[in-house]
């Protein structure tokens, strides 16, 4: 993509309204813009990052044998009244009456809708187990949206649901999902803590949270400074690690994933039953597995940045390469840069070509801010020596070499980034 | 994908609530299910078709130099009051007041939001032209939702917006988009009519509609039976073709795309201005270009089906191949079928493996109903002759051959389908 044809409005100054590093950097790198409090537009660069995260999630979900579908945002309130959660949701759920008088709402989550769907199509134990998931936009009327996309009124979530005939089945699927979550967060470049948590409003009998330690995190986790075991900070007393007998420490973290053994909470109320091997009618045993997709983007930045800007993990980087043409009025520079751009395209490597009529200093600063893994720098001085430069965003290391040598190196690194 | 692990609930009977062929077939093939009137869940097969359509649209938009972004569904009503369209939208726009008292709405379209976004980032003619697009979910409170996803309250749309500094620019982009639309609809297997239309509520001074002739179409088009030129049926008098001097005929059609030269309607009201080469402040000249993505799915089926079911155009087919194991209790059949499935996977060809414990007759009927291009049929009789069968859904032609010969043939056809 040519920078001049995209909309990547970088900012020199840190916007005052942004309190967190990730929010500041997402605004400064031109990834998002606020439409109203808690509601954001994803500009081209932000959307590419979102898509990369979604690709990783899809790959890992599909590898679990899960099937993707897409459920509606519009839902009948009646379904929530039947499940008993209409009141639980309180003002968080956006409700309205449509022109035909139907009491509708915007789905803050989809347990009711998926249970209602599965109920009509699963009738026998032979059709189980089943895992369904979606990556979809959810709506919540947050009383206090914060930190950009971390707590937003409109956000993207991956929600998966498992359906089993017995305890052995749900235990297997729960473990499968737990492992998939670890792989997903690892591929997203995140160091996470997993804590056993209270199921809360979701119901059920077991749940784990996946937490990203970060200063802005609004969830507190107690962690043992020695064995690193973690648990949610509930109640007043901080406790002592039972293993190591040392005082636990409190750390702030962002919840990026949450998995639940729901049991039969939804299936029994909404009537999602199946006939078992003995012809007996039983409620389906369910699990649900969420990841905050748009929030994940912020969490990744919280853990992967330096003073200059974002440092994207390889598989998340919106482009693998940014090409810096240091002077667009210089014919030779533009010729070489265009050739590099085309050659990368032929090799299936997507690059952002900074073809803006800007000073070299602006381009250097913006490239570091954007956080794209590899920078290919093409300027007058190095071209005199028939060479171009490759800079690694992570450690600012620079290598000089012929165009072909640099391209070979770039292809090798890009190849590694693609492999999970 | 193993059929037994997916949710593909086919129906033998035609559901009574579905009036149109496409709606009937989408329900019968297990592609969609209604949650409430005008609101549908896309089951795994339906979502795959949606994704294929979206891939084609993305490729053609990107080829025009357009950049993809993602705008919010939640919008402030205030923006619609400023543009003067709040009243125009009437009850179609879903409005609500959030807990902080903000008058919000769900975007039925995004001219206001994109103009407001671009206004803050484009200030000079040097930044133009620019084309932005999104594929996103829109909400409309339809008084009479009909024909499944054809007229729905929640639907997926591709909306693109062009920004230019002068008439020459918008003319060029308009033509570029017009051509891209023709390619998109062709790749979707559609025969379309293009008619020059009234800009209507969108405003502006030129617009073209892309119409799919279909019995259920709610838009009337006048067409010359000789030269095939088309125009919208507006007013009472049917007219005579000025070229051929024959009586025009009326045909029903579904509007799947609409492109508009908006001019400065939105930019001037919302203050999206730029400085031209002479330093003069001017409103940006805009165009907008929509495609009803979910509706397109129905239109494709209306034009591509027979008595047995859907016949997907090559690039739209949810899977390239369906493998029919005619008796899952037969070890040899399952061994051969699994090998074919794995071998296709290794070749990058996605297949649906009908591993259900169902009679051969059910599998044949369902495969024809689903409309997947290629059927690989593995049964006892042919295996006795060391062969398997390949059936083309389009013309019901069958070829017998060794596993290797059939796989070679399948790879060849799948390869052709991939090329645009």
């Amino acid at each position: 993509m040519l920078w001049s044809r995209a909309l990547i409005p970088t900012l020199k100054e840190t916007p005052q309204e942004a309190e967190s590093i990730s929010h500041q950097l997402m605004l400064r790198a031109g990834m998002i813009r606020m439409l109203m409090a808690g509601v954001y537009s994803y500009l081209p660069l932000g959307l590419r990052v979102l898509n990369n995260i979604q690709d990783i999630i899809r790959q890992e979900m599909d590898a679990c044998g899960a099937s993707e579908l897409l459920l509606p945002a519009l839902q009948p309130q009646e379904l929530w009244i039947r499940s008993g959660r209409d009141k639980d949701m309180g003002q968080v759920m956006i409700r309205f009456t449509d022109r035909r008088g139907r009491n509708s709402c915007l789905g803050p989550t989809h347990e009711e809708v998926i249970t209602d769907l599965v109920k009509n199509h699963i009738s026998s134990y032979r059709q189980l187990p089943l895992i369904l998931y979606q990556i979809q936009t959810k709506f919540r009327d947050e009383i206090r949206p914060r930190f950009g996309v971390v707590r937003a009124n409109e956000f993207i979530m991956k929600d998966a649901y498992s359906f089993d005939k017995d305890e052995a089945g749900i235990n297997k699927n729960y473990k499968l999902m737990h492992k998939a979550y670890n792989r997903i967060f690892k591929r997203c470049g995140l160091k996470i803590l997993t804590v056993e948590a209270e199921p809360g409003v979701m119901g059920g009998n077991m749940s784990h949270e996946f937490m990203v330690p970060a200063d802005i995190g609004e969830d507190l986790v107690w962690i043992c400074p020695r064995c690193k075991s973690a648990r949610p900070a509930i109640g007043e007393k901080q406790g002592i690690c039972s293993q190591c007998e040392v005082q636990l420490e409190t750390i702030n973290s962002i919840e990026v994933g949450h998995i639940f053994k729901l049991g039969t909470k939804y299936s029994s109320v909404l009537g999602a039953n199946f006939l078992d091997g003995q012809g007996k009618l039983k409620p389906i045993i369910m699990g649900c597995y969420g990841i905050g997709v748009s929030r994940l983007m912020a969490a990744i930045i919280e853990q992967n940045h330096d003073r200059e800007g974002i440092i994207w993990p390889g598989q998340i980087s919106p482009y693998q390469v940014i090409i810096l043409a240091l002077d667009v009025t210089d014919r030779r520079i533009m010729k070489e840069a265009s050739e590099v751009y085309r050659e990368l395209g032929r090799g299936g490597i997507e690059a952002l070509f900074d073809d803006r009529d800007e000073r070299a200093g602006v381009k250097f600063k913006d490239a570091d801010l954007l956080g794209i893994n590899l920078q290919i720098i093409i300027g007058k001085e190095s071209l005199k020596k028939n060479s171009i430069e490759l800079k690694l965003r992570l450690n600012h290391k620079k290598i000089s070499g012929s165009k072909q040598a640099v391209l070979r190196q770039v292809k090798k690194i890009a190849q590694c980034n693609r492999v999970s």
Side-chain angles (χ1 to χ4, degrees), chain A residues 389-402:
Chain A
E389 281 182 312
L390 175 64
K391 179 179 154 183
L392 305 182
R393 173 64 184 89
L394 180 64
N395 52 19
H396 296 267
K397 245 169 104 173
K398 273 188 186 174
I399 313 161
S400 260
S402 72

Side-chain angles (χ1 to χ4, degrees), chain A residues 3 8-13 25 27-31 45 306 308-312 318 322-324 326 352 354-375 391 393 396:
Chain A
W3 187 313
I8 308 174
T10 53
L11 304 174
K12 280 190 205 93
E13 310 294 329
L25 288 174
L27 288 170
R28 287 190 55 211
M31 294 174 63
L45 218 59
D306 62 13
E308 273 71 47
I310 304 166
I311 305 170
W312 291 113
I322 180 168
I323 302 165
L324 282 66
L326 295 189
L352 178 64
D354 188 350
D355 62 338
R356 294 173 304 163
D357 186 8
E358 292 282 1
R359 283 176 301 110
V362 171
K363 295 196 177 196
F364 287 139
K365 268 200 180 329
D366 274 351
D368 282 352
L369 175 63
L370 261 48
I372 292 168
N373 289 205
L374 302 172
Q375 303 176 6
K391 179 179 154 183
R393 173 64 184 89
H396 296 267

Side-chain angles (χ1 to χ4, degrees), chain A residues 201-226:
Chain A
V201 74
M202 289 305 194
N205 45 35
M206 183 184 250
S207 108
H208 283 88
E209 287 176 326
F210 297 81
M211 313 297 283
V212 174
D215 292 341
I216 61 155
E218 298 185 279
D219 289 285
L220 289 183
V221 173
W222 285 334
I223 191 166
C224 169
R226 195 164 301 162

Side-chain angles (χ1 to χ4, degrees), chain A residues 92-258:
Chain A
V92 165
M93 190 156 79
I94 296 168
R95 296 170 180 82
F96 63 91
T97 304
D98 75 7
R99 71 203 298 185
R100 308 158 97 197
R102 296 184 302 188
N103 292 323
S104 306
C105 61
L106 295 177
T109 170
H110 280 75
E111 282 76 18
E112 280 76 1
V113 169
I114 197 107
T115 308
D116 187 60
L117 176 75
V118 163
K119 161 193 164 175
N120 295 315
H121 301 299
I122 300 292
S123 54
S124 156
Y125 72 98
R126 289 173 204 271
Q127 295 169 283
L128 301 173
L130 180 69
I131 310 176
L132 300 170
Y133 77 100
Q134 64 169 345
I135 297 178
Q136 189 253 10
T137 301
K138 305 223 181 304
F139 300 88
R140 291 186 191 172
D141 193 350
E142 292 284 353
I143 194 155
R144 199 166 161 237
R146 270 190 89 179
F147 303 131
V149 298
V150 171
R151 182 137 48 95
N153 291 16
E154 178 172 346
F155 60 99
I156 299 170
M157 196 169 148
K158 186 282 299 181
D159 41 326
Y161 305 88
S162 66
F163 303 89
D164 279 287
K165 64 178 195 286
D166 53 27
E167 281 299 318
I170 173 75
N171 288 341
K172 194 181 157 196
N173 276 331
Y174 192 83
K175 267 186 209 145
L176 197 68
M177 281 289 163
H178 196 140
K179 281 186 189 159
Y181 271 45
N182 285 334
R183 282 193 303 271
I184 289 166
F185 297 128
K186 195 177 170 197
R187 290 177 66 183
C188 286
L190 286 171
K191 287 190 182 65
I192 53 149
L193 294 173
T194 311
V195 298
E196 202 175 325
E198 295 287 316
V201 74
M202 289 305 194
N205 45 35
M206 183 184 250
S207 108
H208 283 88
E209 287 176 326
F210 297 81
M211 313 297 283
V212 174
D215 292 341
I216 61 155
E218 298 185 279
D219 289 285
L220 289 183
V221 173
W222 285 334
I223 191 166
C224 169
R226 195 164 301 162
C227 71
K228 300 295 174 198
S229 73
R231 53 177 138 149
I234 297 161
E236 280 303 306
K237 214 158 155 276
Q238 227 182 274
I240 301 277
C241 177
S242 55
Q243 294 279 317
C244 315
E245 297 193 351
V246 293
Q247 189 78 16
L248 296 175
E249 286 171 6
T250 305
I251 55 167
N252 292 71
S253 53
I254 304 170
E255 182 195 317
V256 289
H258 205 153

Side-chain angles (χ1 to χ4, degrees), chain A residues 66-86:
Chain A
S67 288
E68 188 177 358
L69 41 59
L70 183 62
L71 303 172
L74 290 177
Q75 304 181 4
Q77 278 179 40
E78 185 263 333
L79 207 47
W80 291 80
I81 294 167
R82 272 204 283 155
S83 78
R85 286 211 299 176
D86 185 51

Side-chain angles (χ1 to χ4, degrees), chain A residues 321-344:
Chain A
V321 182
I322 180 168
I323 302 165
L324 282 66
L326 295 189
D327 180 354
V328 295
T329 64
D330 183 310
R331 279 202 185 178
R332 176 144 185 235
I333 289 177
M334 286 310 275
K335 181 177 163 287
E336 297 290 330
S338 304
E339 276 179 26
V340 166
Y341 180 60
R342 275 195 302 270
E343 176 61 25
L344 289 174

